[in-house]
Amino acid sequence: MSEINRRKFIVNSALASSSFFIVPRHVLGGKGYQAPSDKLNIACIGVGGKGRVDVREVSSQNIVALCDVDQKKAEETYQKFPKVKKYEDFRQMLQEHEQEIDAVTISTPDHTHAVQAMMAINMGKHVFLQKPLTRTIRETRMITEAARKKGLATQMGNQGHANDGPRILNELIWDGAIGEVKRVHVWTNRPIWPQGIEHRPEEQPPVPDTLNWDLWLGPAPERPYSPAYVPFNWRGWWDFGCGALGDMGCHLIDFPFWALDLGHPHTVEASSTPVFEETAPLGSTVHYYFPARRNHPGVHLTWYDGGIMPPEPKGLKSFVIGEHHSGVYFEGEDGTLVYRYVEDRPTLIKDGREIDYELPPQKIERSSGHYVEWFEACKGGKPAFSNFEYSGPLTEVVLLGNVAVRSGKVLNWDGDKMEITNVPEANQYLKENYRSGWSI
């Protein structure tokens, strides 16, 4: 019996019973009680590393299946759910539990996100997907459109989006605290893993018994196993990850993307340390130029990583931005706003000095929690704040920066057509190159 039919059966049976009556929830379980029928049935793909955190955060629901290709990394999570069925292959898990699952979390390396999310979406399952949504722009566009057509509840794992700090930042900007914003700087201390590597490792040690290397590769082009990729350092390799931009861009560019309603840039260009075919560079600077839109002027946004830093804002005295790992600051006509990831509220600079300020009028609903938002959306509530309709376009902007890094050219971008119009050869970086047997 499918889960939907099971629930209908329970409701219909209760209504048919002559002894049917409603028991108040506080009588059944007290404050915070959640009836079993209110819980989502969730399957989790990728349960070590960040996946361990995601499983913990959704454990208030009903975890019905767990999947990971690395049994050693998954061991801690597996021990916490001894009765839950475990899998190596997400396809087998989704197929065997299709009638039972309501929703899926995906916390795996970037190169596997799209194939996993698309299978879940095609099955009609709600999806919580870690950032960046996918490794390529085409993949992001495809899963965003697919989830929209299915009417599914989605959420990207940029948890800082749920904090109060960005909401106060937005409300200050919208209230005119610094006037019109035409310049934004975004910085991070990433990468904190090896990048700027010209060649693949020559050493080919045996694959650990606890790792299914073929399933770890998934849709990526085949190559020999190396500890240079697994379990953590895959982010710097183009076939698997998206470098510093992919890791932190969906967290940090999120703030100006939201506050300034940025949409698609019209031009992107980058400079960096040497760029190799295999890996992202050690450090890069990416310039995005966004056209004027609605009530906002054009904006020049610059991304800095790998130790490259923006100029210190004039008048900033309480801290040095170079000593904080990640953040963003907005230059307005009447002042500057600096937001360190993830503080409670931004720092306001006017007339060359930091000033105290009263909170602006609240215009944005406060979050019930990044994961709770998604639960509520899955159960028929309003969409989560970082659902794919928002986080899809954001991810595309982030990934376009990597296209500029890899091409080394000034790129003119037609976001609606998903096309680089002036450098045709750069369009190769917009899409994936799956090995045989994999597709979305």
Side-chain angles (χ1 to χ4, degrees), residues 265-279:
H266 59 70
T267 306
V268 184
E269 59 181 312
S271 60
S272 72
T273 59
V275 180
F276 300 117
E277 188 65 26
E278 291 286 344
T279 62

Side-chain angles (χ1 to χ4, degrees), residues 75 86 105 117 175 195 208 223 227 290 297 338 409 412 415 431:
E75 184 177 8
K86 284 82 173 179
T105 66
D175 198 45
Q195 287 188 184
R223 68 170 70 194
F290 294 88
V338 186
K409 304 285 183 65
N412 296 335
K431 56 188 179 181

Side-chain angles (χ1 to χ4, degrees), residues 255-382:
F255 306 135
F257 190 80
W258 189 6
L260 303 177
D261 190 25
L262 291 179
H264 295 297
H266 59 70
T267 306
V268 184
E269 59 181 312
S271 60
S272 72
T273 59
V275 180
F276 300 117
E277 188 65 26
E278 291 286 344
T279 62
L282 289 172
S284 66
T285 303
V286 182
H287 299 275
Y288 297 89
Y289 302 93
F290 294 88
R293 63 251 160 261
R294 289 187 282 277
N295 298 322
H296 299 285
V299 175
H300 176 192
L301 183 152
T302 305
W303 165 270
Y304 310 83
D305 67 44
I308 305 170
M309 297 295 297
E312 287 283 329
K314 294 180 180 179
L316 182 65
K317 301 298 183 183
S318 57
F319 59 90
V320 176
I321 64 169
E323 295 176 357
H324 191 77
H325 62 80
S326 302
V328 56
Y329 74 85
F330 298 73
E331 294 181 359
E333 293 175 330
D334 301 322
T336 301
L337 274 168
V338 186
Y339 180 68
R340 294 180 292 175
Y341 184 76
V342 281
E343 64 181 349
D344 293 334
R345 57 192 292 179
T347 300
L348 176 59
I349 303 171
K350 293 179 78 71
D351 299 322
R353 62 186 179 85
E354 295 181 26
I355 66 168
D356 293 328
Y357 58 88
E358 294 183 1
L359 293 180
Q362 183 175 317
K363 296 181 179 179
I364 308 173
E365 178 185 353
R366 283 355 187 205
S367 174
S368 55
H370 197 65
Y371 298 86
V372 175
E373 290 174 19
W374 180 59
F375 299 157
E376 294 169 347
C378 292
K379 297 172 185 179
K382 61 184 179 297

Side-chain angles (χ1 to χ4, degrees), residues 3-181:
E3 178 64 11
I4 293 174
N5 289 336
R6 181 183 70 83
R7 290 175 181 173
K8 287 181 178 178
F9 174 80
I10 292 171
V11 171
N12 291 339
S13 297
L15 290 172
S17 171
S18 60
S19 60
F20 172 74
F21 61 96
I22 298 174
V23 180
R25 192 171 288 189
H26 72 273
V27 174
L28 289 172
K31 185 177 180 180
Y33 174 78
Q34 186 174 41
S37 59
D38 288 345
K39 293 187 177 183
L40 298 167
N41 284 345
I42 298 180
C44 303
I45 307 172
V47 301
K50 183 59 179 177
R52 186 183 306 124
V53 176
D54 290 338
V55 173
R56 182 189 69 208
E57 293 293 336
V58 302
S59 61
S60 63
Q61 307 303 297
N62 186 29
I63 307 297
V64 299
L66 299 169
C67 178
D68 204 294
V69 300
D70 189 332
Q71 304 311 300
K72 183 177 180 180
K73 290 290 290 184
E75 184 177 8
E76 181 179 331
T77 301
Y78 284 173
Q79 289 177 350
K80 293 179 179 178
F81 298 89
K83 296 181 180 179
V84 173
K85 193 166 183 181
K86 284 82 173 179
Y87 295 84
E88 281 190 339
D89 192 328
F90 74 92
R91 297 166 297 185
Q92 181 187 2
M93 179 182 72
L94 293 181
Q95 288 166 351
E96 290 189 9
H97 294 271
E98 181 175 5
Q99 300 305 312
E100 186 181 5
I101 294 169
D102 297 311
V104 175
T105 66
I106 300 171
S107 317
T108 57
D110 302 348
H111 69 289
T112 56
H113 283 187
V115 293
Q116 293 162 347
M118 189 63 86
M119 183 173 179
I121 289 168
N122 286 339
M123 288 180 164
K125 311 306 177 187
H126 306 298
V127 176
F128 183 100
L129 179 57
Q130 267 305 328
K131 53 76 196 172
L133 286 186
T134 67
R135 195 183 64 86
T136 69
I137 290 175
R138 177 180 176 270
E139 290 175 324
T140 292
R141 187 74 60 94
M142 289 182 70
I143 67 167
T144 299
E145 292 176 349
R148 179 189 308 132
K149 290 177 181 177
K150 289 281 189 178
L152 298 172
T154 57
Q155 180 85 307
M156 181 170 74
N158 56 336
Q159 288 82 348
H161 193 85
N163 293 349
D164 284 356
R167 286 164 167 73
I168 295 171
L169 176 67
N170 287 0
E171 289 161 352
L172 282 166
I173 290 172
W174 299 345
D175 198 45
I178 60 173
E180 294 283 10
V181 176

